[in-house]
């Protein structure tokens, strides 16, 4: 298997159900519980490289008590092209605009998604664990969430700290990568570093 040449940063019914229960714990309980990465022996997310270019993406979260969420992500401009687009999405979306990273081996689409009324991240995780294959809790740097398989793509749902109305949906789509390499992408340290570089800022 080839090594990923990028500088950037999800399983099964029983495992998914157990993982969803972990995500549904109260914050203090979840902090005490061992992480899925620790249980599986996964390595800690590496430090984010300092020579990345920064892409930004802003959106309005919620209707009542709406807030503006500014998201940034680090990427290698020699390996990826970045833009915020409002048409010709890589993955179908009802959003007015999404952020996209075009790469040689794979592409990434980032978009905001609203919770159903009266629900939150824990309910979202529970539904995903029941519906999709490959449900796995993830933590990359300060970012936590879960991933699952949606057809031939990976979908990552990341919690936005302080936002009870929306979360970030990250869809990773294979381009020219070999299927075996793409299957191993979630465990690649450089890809995890890309997810770890994502930052959120809320403006009320």
């Amino acid at each position: 298997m080839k090594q990923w040449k990028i500088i950037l940063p999800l399983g099964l019914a029983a495992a998914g159900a157990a993982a969803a229960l972990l995500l549904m714990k109260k914050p203090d309980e979840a902090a005490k519980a061992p992480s899925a990465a620790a249980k599986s022996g996964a390595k800690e997310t590496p430090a984010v490289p300092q020579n990345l270019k920064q892409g930004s993406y802003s959106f309005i979260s919620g209707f009542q008590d709406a807030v503006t969420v500014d998201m940034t992500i680090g990427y290698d401009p020699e390996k990826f092209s970045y833009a915020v687009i409002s048409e010709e999405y890589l993955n179908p979306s009802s959003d007015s605009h999404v952020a996209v990273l075009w790469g040689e081996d794979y592409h990434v689409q980032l978009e905001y998604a609203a919770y159903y009324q009266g629900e939150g991240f824990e309910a979202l995780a529970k539904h995903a664990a029941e519906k999709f294959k490959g449900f796995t809790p993830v933590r990359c740097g300060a970012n936590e969430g879960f991933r699952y398989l949606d057809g031939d793509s990976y979908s990552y749902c990341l919690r936005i700290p302080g936002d009870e109305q929306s979360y970030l949906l990250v869809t990773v789509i294979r381009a020219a990568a070999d299927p075996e390499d793409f299957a191993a992408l979630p465990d690649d340290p450089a890809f995890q570093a890309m997810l770890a570089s994502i930052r959120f800022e809320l403006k009320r």
Side-chain angles (χ1 to χ4, degrees):
M1 184 183 301
K2 69 180 182 181
Q3 296 296 318
W4 288 95
K5 298 180 180 179
I6 57 175
I7 313 179
L8 300 174
L10 164 153
L12 305 169
L21 288 175
L22 176 61
L23 282 173
M24 289 187 287
K25 289 178 178 289
K26 295 179 180 178
D28 56 339
E29 294 176 341
K32 296 177 182 178
S35 68
K39 289 181 178 179
S40 64
K43 297 180 180 179
E44 293 184 4
T45 302
V48 179
Q50 299 300 311
N51 59 341
L52 302 182
K53 188 172 181 180
Q54 190 176 82
S56 61
Y57 172 61
S58 298
F59 57 91
I60 304 297
S61 176
F63 298 98
Q64 295 182 340
D65 300 322
V67 298
T68 297
V69 179
D70 292 334
M71 184 220 76
T72 58
I73 184 171
Y75 69 97
D76 179 1
E78 294 185 359
K79 302 295 183 181
F80 290 87
S81 296
Y82 179 87
V84 174
I85 60 176
S86 57
E87 58 183 1
E88 298 184 0
Y89 298 160
L90 299 177
N91 194 55
S93 173
S94 60
D95 287 358
S96 61
H97 61 297
V98 303
V100 175
L101 282 161
W102 290 277
E104 179 180 346
D105 293 325
Y106 65 89
H107 310 309
V108 181
Q109 178 169 302
L110 305 100
E111 60 191 284
Y112 62 95
Y115 298 121
Y116 288 114
Q117 186 173 6
E119 297 189 346
F121 199 81
E122 288 73 19
L124 178 72
K126 183 176 183 295
H127 294 327
E130 295 171 347
K131 182 178 180 180
F132 297 103
K133 296 181 180 179
F135 178 91
T136 308
V138 297
R139 177 178 287 277
C140 293
N143 299 312
E144 67 169 330
F146 58 86
R147 74 168 187 261
Y148 57 85
L149 291 172
D150 188 0
D152 295 329
S153 302
Y154 291 110
S155 290
Y156 286 73
C157 296
L158 300 181
R159 186 193 299 268
I160 300 175
D163 187 355
E164 302 300 328
Q165 303 177 89
S166 303
Y167 61 95
L168 184 70
L169 173 61
V170 182
T171 305
V172 187
I173 303 168
R174 185 170 75 88
D178 294 333
E180 184 179 0
D181 293 319
F182 187 71
L185 180 61
D187 296 321
D188 181 74
F191 177 72
Q192 292 177 9
M194 180 184 73
L195 294 183
S197 75
I198 294 176
R199 296 288 182 271
F200 302 101
E201 181 181 355
L202 275 60
K203 298 178 179 178
R204 301 184 181 277

